[in-house]
Amino acid sequence: NVPEDQADKLLLANWGLPKAVLEKYHSLGVVQMFEWQAECLMLRQVLEGKNLVFSAPTSAGKTLVAELLILKRVLETRKKALLILPFVSVAKEKKCYLQ
C-alpha cells in the first residue's frame, strides 16, 4: 500500500507532468491512480530507468503505468521511446492520443 504520508502520489498532478498532459488525462476522467499503480511508479529503480514487470487483469490500468513511465523518461532525458502495442488499431489510437 501507498504510505499515508505519500497519498498525494495518487494524484497525477503530483508527478511533474506538463500541464498539457495533465489536461489531456483530466479530459478523459483520469485524475488519480490506483494504489498499485503509484506503488509501481514509486519504486526507485523504476524511476531511474530500470525494468518493471507487473501483471494485472484487463482494464486494470497497466497502460497508464507504462504511459507515465515513458512520458517522464522522454521529458527528463529528451530521448525517444518505443511503445510496442498488440494491435494496429490500438497503435493508431495511442499515436493520436500521445501526440
Side-chain angles (χ1 to χ4, degrees):
N1 290 340
V2 175
E4 196 172 308
D5 63 333
Q6 293 187 350
D8 62 327
K9 290 292 189 181
L10 294 175
L11 298 174
L12 291 182
N14 294 330
W15 283 92
L17 298 168
K19 184 179 177 183
V21 172
L22 288 173
E23 287 174 355
K24 180 65 175 178
Y25 279 118
H26 289 179
S27 74
L28 298 170
V30 181
V31 176
Q32 69 179 35
M33 297 179 255
F34 296 118
E35 284 187 23
W36 74 265
Q37 292 169 314
E39 287 176 32
C40 288
L41 294 172
M42 287 191 301
L43 296 171
R44 192 181 101 245
Q45 298 88 352
V46 171
L47 293 177
E48 293 172 356
K50 301 295 181 191
N51 294 329
L52 172 66
V53 176
F54 61 99
S55 175
T58 300
S59 298
K62 297 181 294 290
T63 301
L64 179 63
V65 173
E67 287 176 4
L68 292 177
L69 286 171
I70 288 170
L71 286 168
K72 283 192 66 59
R73 192 77 172 159
V74 166
L75 293 169
E76 291 171 0
T77 65
R78 300 286 187 219
K79 293 183 179 180
K80 295 180 181 182
L82 176 65
L83 178 60
I84 299 172
L85 299 164
F87 304 106
V88 172
S89 60
V90 175
K92 287 180 180 180
E93 177 185 317
K94 285 296 168 186
K95 177 187 170 222
C96 294
Y97 175 81
L98 291 171
Q99 284 178 334

